[in-house]
Amino acid sequence: MGSLAAADEPLPPLRYPPARRDGGIVDDYHGVLVPDPYRWMEELESEEVKEFVGAQAGVADAVLATCDHRGRLRGQLTALLDHPRYRAPFKRAGAYFYFHNPGLLPHAALYVQHGLGGEPSVLLDPSELSDDATVSLSMIGVSDDGEHLAYGTSASGSDWVTIRAMRVRDRRRLPDTLSWVKFSRIAWTRDGKGFFYSRFPAPKDDGGAPESGIRTDVNLNHEVYYHFLGTDQSDDVMCWRDPEHPKYIYAPEVTEDGKYVLLSVSESSEPVNKLYYCDLSALSAMKGTHEMLPFVKLVDEFEAFYGVVANDDTHFTILTNKDAPRYKLSRVDVDDPESWTDVLPQDDKAVLESACAVHGDKLLVNYLSDVKYVLQMRSLVTGELLHDIPIDIGSVNGITGRRADSEVFIEFSSFLTPGIVYRCDLSSGTPEMNIYREITVPGFDRTDFEAKQVFYQSKDGTKIPMFVVSRKSIVLDGSHPALLFGYGGFGMSMTPQFSAARVVLMRNLGFVTCIANIRGGGEYGEGWHKAGSLANKQNCFDDFIAAGEFLVSAGYTSPSRLCIEGGSNGGLLVAACINQRPGLFGCALAHVGVMDMLRFHKFTIGRAWTCDFGCSEKEEEFHWLIKYSPLHNVRRPWEKRAAGDHQRLRRQYPPTMLLTADHDDRVVPSHTLKFLATMQHVLCTSVEQSPQTNPIVARIDRKSGHGCGRSTQKIIDEAADRYAFAAKMMGVSWIG
């Protein structure tokens, strides 16, 4: 088939629903008066908010009805996702556990097989936990003897989790039910009698389960409990709490030898933590008492990150960024807490992403070098290099292995590799990497595409890496639509991953797809992260804008065909960039963004983000935030032409779709609703014959959260909607 012309169906007249503006709400920030006319939108359960959301859904539906590629996109996405997908297995007592989706099931199921050659069977299928597939599996823990599974479920994408238990051999569900769990792990003790987990106290106004509606109150007073299998939650042993530090978050973990429980203590999303440990022989005496476990505070300052990799009795090997922004491995005898020594010093350039102790005294270490992964086998004792393990350019998404086993599984993918699970046999002298499972996508031919890495200069001259993926041998004449994705926060690295949606965009709509590794991420260690946080946050926006300018100047695309996209902190990124350079972009897709930088810390876990953003309650930090806060910087482009804006789009914002979900209790929906109302008011409804004719719409998903736990169908539907919108707005034709 040849090329099909883009449909000419016009947009409907855009009549944005009126939103009440309350002029009486004005906050005084250190002498600066800041109005907040849509404060009422923070009451998400109010009838007024529900009415506003319903009216906005009508506007979005009317616009989407004109997007003729929507059905074709849904069809192509469904066809490409209809293939078997596997995650790396992990081993417990001779049994292998792994996640697998044979195609279009709402969620991947947990399988178990006895021995590598055993017949696999479904242990737990989350798709059967609810009629509408809105209950998902958010965490699991299998006891060391392989006898029991504890699993956490989440409803409608919420961060709140309910933990239950089952017996593996006969799939018998046990009566254990643990509520008000959040930001937790399941950490079994080696005897299989129970596990540690973390939870918040049940609210005093508890009217039922947390999933009954969205709760936006601040999460305080995290606690660690031990649950004995087969008992009621009310009998759980409280192991640790600290009322003097209500903001602390605790992550318990049991060492592989079963001797110690570790407690990582954090206060924010910053890669720093305190590290406590406790000899587990103390636990048996705790049942029925009200005493907390006698944790020893190995590290009791928020000075660096400490993650235990392995222990040999009292000698702990730890991954840390203490005096090492690109991370290193250190060792300490906890009986002599001053005895720190470096086992594997910081590399000159590469970031030590992870280290996994396997097969006795070996270490599988994973470096990130110029956003490309490097795997090595090293000695756990000395840190010396034993073997390089060759892998293609791509991402190591998981490593599963234990010191008791002679095998390790490595999960790999890239832009053009849907997924490979390698089995690495360590029993011989040289590690043998063999493909254990390879994911193939019918209808996808990787030889039609190419992925490359480019480097471009940001505003201050800093070199920024970016991946560019496209059809092979495209002509750089500026004609191609382009999708530019970014994040730039919390030290998170954006590495090569396979995306069915990206394939459809490239194959059927001719897109060039790009990921900019801007500052604020962890691609080059803590220095790169800090260069895009706090007082340096503007660097993120400058880097992303420079990526767009590079794509235009290099001939990949033009401003009218450049779509930018990001989620969460990346939603903030997109929103800030359309405020600062509206004329550079042809479309904007901002998912679940942090839009109100003056009040984000007042909801759920938002307080943990002040390490990256700052906090408006501090005067200096308020002045950083007010300069770029998306909610507070919507301006009419036609009143002040920004330097460098291009004529065709100079006078208005690009077509914009803001995406959120009614059960997002990470970045609460009021961020998006307030920003949406502000954009519509400033640019459209308050202006007669406004030059802003590009639509500003919101897609508000029902019974969904921040992004985790969505069903396959929800993923397909959302991708079809947002990319059909982008294609329509940028006049992109379908390639049959």
Side-chain angles (χ1 to χ4, degrees), residues 21 37-38 572 574-582 595-596 625-640 652-654 656 658 671-687 690 692 696:
R21 291 175 60 80
Y38 301 119
L572 156 65
V574 167
C577 287
I578 60 174
N579 278 342
Q580 294 183 17
R581 287 291 301 280
M595 305 304 193
D596 185 349
L625 293 163
I626 194 67
K627 286 179 183 174
Y628 71 80
S629 175
L631 180 65
H632 302 95
N633 285 280
V634 180
R635 305 284 185 267
R636 295 167 183 157
W638 55 88
E639 292 181 355
K640 182 180 179 182
Q652 60 175 315
Y653 271 60
T656 300
L658 307 176
H671 279 280
T672 291
L673 300 182
K674 290 169 72 173
F675 184 53
L676 173 71
T678 301
M679 289 184 74
Q680 291 178 349
H681 172 77
V682 172
L683 302 172
C684 306
T685 57
S686 65
V687 184
S690 171
Q692 181 67 38
I696 298 163

Side-chain angles (χ1 to χ4, degrees), residues 221-297:
N221 297 305
H222 213 215
E223 300 166 337
V224 180
Y225 284 85
Y226 185 82
H227 175 73
F228 285 94
L229 207 58
T231 64
D232 191 82
Q233 186 174 18
S234 60
D235 295 325
D236 289 354
V237 177
M238 179 183 282
C239 299
W240 190 258
R241 67 173 175 176
D242 187 352
E244 292 185 12
H245 297 97
K247 295 180 180 179
Y248 283 6
I249 298 289
Y250 304 106
E253 181 182 358
V254 175
T255 55
E256 189 178 334
D257 64 4
K259 291 183 179 179
Y260 299 97
V261 57
L262 311 171
L263 201 59
S264 175
V265 184
S266 60
E267 192 173 26
S268 70
S269 302
E270 191 176 9
V272 299
N273 63 294
K274 300 182 180 186
L275 184 63
Y276 305 164
Y277 70 93
C278 178
D279 188 319
L280 271 173
S281 60
L283 180 64
S284 57
M286 303 300 294
K287 191 173 183 181
T289 75
H290 297 287
E291 299 292 320
M292 293 194 296
L293 281 182
F295 278 98
V296 179
K297 298 178 178 181

Side-chain angles (χ1 to χ4, degrees), residues 385-426:
L385 177 65
L386 303 176
H387 302 281
D388 286 307
I389 299 178
I391 55 168
D392 290 336
I393 293 174
S395 298
V396 174
N397 293 323
I399 298 173
T400 63
R402 287 187 155 193
R403 297 179 72 178
D405 300 322
S406 62
E407 63 186 350
V408 62
F409 293 92
I410 299 165
E411 199 175 308
F412 174 86
S413 71
S414 73
F415 291 119
L416 303 179
T417 305
I420 297 174
V421 177
Y422 292 100
R423 179 177 179 268
C424 187
D425 185 354
L426 307 176

